[in-house]
Amino acid sequence: MHRCLFKIDVEGYEKYVLKGIRRIIKESSDNIGLIEFNNNYLANADTDINEFSSFLAKNFPVYYLNKDQLIKFTTIDFHTVSSYFKKTISMSTSY
C-alpha cells in the first residue's frame, strides 16, 4: 500500500493535474493533498469554478484550516466557499 501526499498550486490548471494523478490517488491507501486555487486563474485556464468545485466534492473531502481549527465543508460550490472566505478575511482585517 502506498501513501500519497501532494500540493498543487498551478495558477488555474489544478483540474488537469488532478486528472493526471487520478490513478496514483486511487491506488494509494491514504491521500492528503493541499490544493490552492483562485477563481480568476481557473477562468483564465478555461475551467468552470462550479464544475471544479463539483469535481472536488465528488472525489475528496474538502477542509479549510482556520488557525488551529480544521473545518470540513459540507457543501462546496463557489458561492458558499467564497462567502466563507470573505467573512474570514473581513474578520481578520478588523483586528
Side-chain angles (χ1 to χ4, degrees):
M1 300 232 170
H2 300 285
R3 293 183 176 159
C4 179
L5 173 65
F6 61 92
K7 179 187 184 295
I8 302 171
D9 181 10
V10 290
E11 308 301 324
Y13 294 91
E14 288 77 7
K15 84 172 182 181
Y16 302 105
V17 173
L18 286 169
K19 286 181 179 182
I21 65 171
R22 190 179 348 210
R23 182 184 59 79
I24 294 169
I25 290 172
K26 286 184 183 208
E27 291 177 0
S28 299
S29 59
D30 296 310
N31 296 289
I32 297 176
L34 172 66
I35 304 169
E36 181 180 339
F37 61 91
N38 175 298
N39 64 309
N40 294 322
Y41 289 132
L42 290 171
N44 289 340
D46 218 17
T47 299
D48 179 87
I49 184 66
N50 290 316
E51 285 180 22
F52 184 66
S53 298
S54 294
F55 174 82
L56 289 177
K58 180 180 171 186
N59 293 284
F60 304 97
V62 179
Y63 296 87
Y64 170 68
L65 181 61
N66 184 9
K67 297 185 183 183
D68 62 346
Q69 185 178 23
L70 192 60
I71 301 164
K72 183 176 183 179
F73 282 111
T74 55
T75 303
I76 179 167
D77 59 58
F78 178 70
H79 178 72
T80 302
V81 174
S82 64
S83 67
Y84 183 83
F85 284 103
K86 287 177 185 173
K87 289 178 192 172
T88 304
I89 292 168
S90 64
M91 284 174 32
S92 63
T93 57
S94 65
Y95 287 99

